[in-house]
């Protein structure tokens, strides 16, 4: 069962802001989130039914810091196509 706590952040970069003009929102979540789970969370908490959801699984990078090896966390990115005139920012209030 998906929950709102599985959503880590809505990604705001130069590339994703350009996509938002086309009605696509990029959401970063935990690796266990599924497309149907994300659709359920968006319907329940934001009152939005997405037109399309594409997912991308990102493995954590291996990084070195002061000679020690560490690994960043894995996550999923979802590209969510919203209906015309609908945004998640207007729904958060």
């Amino acid at each position: 069962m998906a929950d709102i706590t599985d959503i880590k952040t809505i990604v705001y970069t130069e590339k994703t802001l350009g996509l938002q003009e086309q009605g696509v929102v990029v959401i970063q979540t935990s690796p266990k989130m599924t497309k149907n789970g994300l659709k359920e969370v968006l319907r329940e908490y934001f009152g939005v039914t997405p037109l399309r959801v594409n997912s991308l699984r990102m493995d954590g990078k291996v990084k070195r810091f002061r000679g020690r090896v560490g690994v960043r966390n894995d996550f999923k990115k979802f590209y969510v196509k919203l209906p015309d005139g609908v945004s998640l920012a207007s729904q958060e209030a």
Side-chain angles (χ1 to χ4, degrees):
M1 179 81 174
D3 192 15
I4 190 78
T5 58
D6 291 331
I7 294 179
K8 292 182 180 179
T9 185
I10 297 176
V11 181
Y12 293 105
T13 62
E14 189 173 344
K15 183 176 181 179
T16 61
L17 289 175
L19 288 172
Q20 283 185 3
E21 293 174 0
Q22 301 170 12
V24 177
V25 177
V26 181
I27 300 173
Q28 184 175 333
T29 68
S30 65
K32 66 181 183 177
M33 180 70 85
T34 62
K35 288 183 182 183
N36 289 330
L38 182 65
K39 287 179 187 179
E40 180 182 317
V41 168
L42 291 175
R43 272 191 233 109
E44 184 176 335
Y45 291 97
F46 294 101
V48 175
T49 303
L51 299 176
R52 185 177 65 240
V53 176
N54 295 331
S55 64
L56 180 68
R57 185 175 173 277
M58 300 290 291
D59 287 329
K61 289 182 176 181
V62 175
K63 292 291 196 173
R64 293 183 182 273
F65 182 72
R66 294 188 178 180
R68 295 180 182 252
V69 177
V71 180
R72 291 185 181 170
N73 293 333
D74 297 343
F75 62 91
K76 274 190 180 178
K77 276 197 309 191
F78 288 93
Y79 291 83
V80 180
K81 174 70 173 170
L82 299 175
D84 291 337
V86 176
S87 70
L88 294 182
S90 64
Q91 303 295 323
E92 291 176 1

